[in-house]
Amino acid sequence: MNAAERLVESTRELLWERGYTGISPKGIQQRAGVGQGSMYHHFAGKRELALAAIGRTAEETRARAEEQLSGTGTSVERVTAYLRRERDVLRGCPIGRLTQDPEVMADPALREPVDRTLAWLRERLAQVLAEGRERGELDAGLDPWAVAATTVAVLQGGYVLARAAASAQPFDQAVDGVLGLLAAHVRP
Amino acid sequence: MNAAERLVESTRELLWERGYTGISPKGIQQRAGVGQGSMYHHFAGKRELALAAIGRTAEETRARAEEQLSGTGTSVERVTAYLRRERDVLRGCPIGRLTQDPEVMADPALREPVDRTLAWLRERLAQVLAEGRERGELDAGLDPWAVAATTVAVLQGGYVLARAAASAQPFDQAVDGVLGLLAAHVRP
DNA sequence: GTCTATATGACGATAGAC
DNA sequence: GTCTATCGTCATATAGAC
């Protein structure tokens, strides 16, 4: 892996762990094993590195979700596969955590991929749920958009609870809870 | 309000807006309108200020939740009152946001009130739901602990979605979604 | 492309006068 | 109690040699 590539990967890791406000060019260089001059040759500064890093993480996040959501099975089976996918729960969501960073939220270019990824997730889940309703797998009374927002919120909030508790248990409970509630809307 | 009091209040605001990693003694002093010497006379440093500020915010958060959860009405009515309570959605949760701060999570004393508050919320909601089940208001099949975790996660995740979208709409949708799902478990 | 040197300001605190 | 002076370190680059 070349210097530019290592720098972006280090930035991705550090953004995940510490957020934009919590990282420094020096820290990125050290983790990447790249000198100062080299970093400033490839990138204009911390912000340019973050733009590249966040863009890549956003793309990856959408691609991984699409794997489960476009898989086989009923609507509810695909949502379940997405929610129960193996996750590094205590690390949290690398996109969702950026919503808590004041400098990311204040910068339209840094913010855009965060907004877009979470909006896309809600929309994609709403599609899957609407499909399930049309196929008669789910009750007609279910609101796909509301339940989609609930589902994404359970994930994001589950990470918060897990990190606070230093345990994956509350995350798993929250997922169990929403899937249990949803089960009552599956048609026989 | 005296200097010590103003310092704690400024710290509470800044922690909410920027997290522990994102604030500085200087910023706290300026918002409080208090000089450097005065700050270090009343508090040993940034960490001591944060301990006082987080402790107070945690207490207040639990007290405000208890207002709705110990109110009148059925189990589901009280949970609904809590979820639909007026909130400054775009500011997020002053406790939940601290789970994304690496320095808070690394310091047991700073972390404890965060953990305790979110654990208390889950437990209190589970109590309310269990009570509803015992009284026959809710289906016997409902798991109070799982649904409690889901409910708190919907709140915390709702804040994340709202901040990303710069709109309260996804928060409201997520709340509507979980209440809609819960409605199917209310006994006639 | 990568290195070292240098610059400017902020961070987080301590010391001692008033 | 509050003020000003001072301190060592880190943040975020820029400049120019190799």
Side-chain angles (χ1 to χ4, degrees):
Chain A
M1 213 161 40
N2 61 24
E5 195 59 28
R6 285 209 306 282
L7 285 164
V8 173
E9 286 304 313
S10 300
T11 306
R12 296 218 297 153
E13 290 174 21
L14 282 165
L15 280 175
W16 196 351
E17 292 168 22
R18 306 187 49 84
Y20 185 78
T21 303
I23 67 178
S24 69
K26 191 177 183 178
I28 294 169
Q29 294 152 26
Q30 284 175 346
R31 183 168 303 206
V34 162
Q36 191 149 343
S38 182
M39 190 201 101
Y40 282 104
H41 171 75
H42 292 290
F43 296 92
K46 173 178 165 176
R47 182 170 177 275
E48 304 302 313
L49 264 165
L51 278 172
I54 296 175
R56 186 178 295 184
T57 298
E59 247 182 277
E60 199 183 281
T61 298
R62 293 192 296 269
R64 295 199 56 194
E66 187 62 17
E67 282 177 33
Q68 270 80 45
L69 295 177
S70 67
T72 59
T74 65
S75 176
V76 170
E77 281 168 356
R78 283 180 285 155
V79 171
T80 301
Y82 173 58
L83 285 173
R84 294 223 198 271
R85 182 182 86 195
E86 193 176 319
R87 292 166 189 275
D88 208 339
V89 172
L90 294 184
R91 292 183 78 188
C93 171
I95 293 298
R97 80 107 54 229
L98 297 175
T99 62
Q100 303 304 325
D101 194 297
E103 299 187 46
V104 171
M105 289 296 99
D107 184 329
L110 291 175
R111 177 190 195 123
E112 191 270 345
V114 175
D115 183 4
R116 197 149 65 90
T117 300
L118 291 171
W120 178 87
L121 267 177
R122 286 190 286 132
E123 190 173 342
R124 193 70 187 82
L125 275 161
Q127 279 173 12
V128 171
L129 291 167
E131 212 179 285
R133 208 178 54 168
E134 282 158 27
R135 291 185 186 161
E137 295 164 13
L138 285 167
D139 279 353
L142 182 140
D143 177 346
W145 283 92
V147 175
T150 299
T151 303
V152 182
V154 164
L155 276 183
Q156 294 295 326
Y159 287 128
V160 168
L161 300 183
R163 284 178 62 86
S167 157
Q169 198 211 357
F171 179 96
D172 293 333
Q173 277 189 324
V175 168
D176 288 350
V178 73
L179 288 176
L181 291 173
L182 194 56
H185 290 264
V186 176
R187 292 213 171 156
Chain B
M1 213 162 39
N2 61 25
E5 195 58 28
R6 285 209 306 283
L7 284 164
V8 173
E9 287 304 312
S10 299
T11 306
R12 297 218 297 152
E13 289 174 20
L14 282 165
L15 280 175
W16 197 350
E17 293 168 21
R18 306 187 48 84
Y20 185 79
T21 303
I23 68 178
S24 68
K26 191 177 183 178
I28 295 168
Q29 293 151 27
Q30 285 176 344
R31 184 168 301 206
V34 162
Q36 192 148 344
S38 182
M39 190 201 100
Y40 281 103
H41 171 75
H42 292 290
F43 296 92
K46 173 178 166 177
R47 182 171 177 274
E48 304 302 313
L49 264 165
L51 278 172
I54 297 176
R56 188 178 294 183
T57 298
E59 247 181 277
E60 199 183 279
T61 298
R62 293 192 296 268
R64 294 199 56 194
E66 186 62 17
E67 281 176 34
Q68 270 79 47
L69 296 177
S70 68
T72 58
T74 66
S75 177
V76 170
E77 282 168 354
R78 283 180 285 154
V79 171
T80 302
Y82 173 59
L83 285 174
R84 293 223 198 270
R85 182 181 87 194
E86 193 175 319
R87 292 166 189 275
D88 209 339
V89 172
L90 294 184
R91 291 182 79 188
C93 172
I95 293 299
R97 80 107 54 230
L98 297 174
T99 62
Q100 303 304 325
D101 194 298
E103 299 187 46
V104 170
M105 289 297 100
D107 184 328
L110 291 175
R111 178 192 194 122
E112 190 271 345
V114 175
D115 182 5
R116 198 150 64 90
T117 299
L118 291 170
W120 178 87
L121 267 177
R122 288 190 285 131
E123 189 173 342
R124 193 68 187 84
L125 275 160
Q127 279 173 11
V128 170
L129 292 166
E131 211 179 285
R133 209 178 53 169
E134 282 159 26
R135 290 184 186 162
E137 297 164 10
L138 286 166
D139 278 353
L142 182 140
D143 177 346
W145 283 92
V147 175
T150 300
T151 303
V152 182
V154 164
L155 276 183
Q156 294 295 326
Y159 287 129
V160 169
L161 301 183
R163 284 178 62 85
S167 156
Q169 197 209 358
F171 179 96
D172 293 333
Q173 277 189 325
V175 167
D176 288 350
V178 74
L179 288 176
L181 291 173
L182 192 57
H185 291 264
V186 176
R187 292 211 170 157

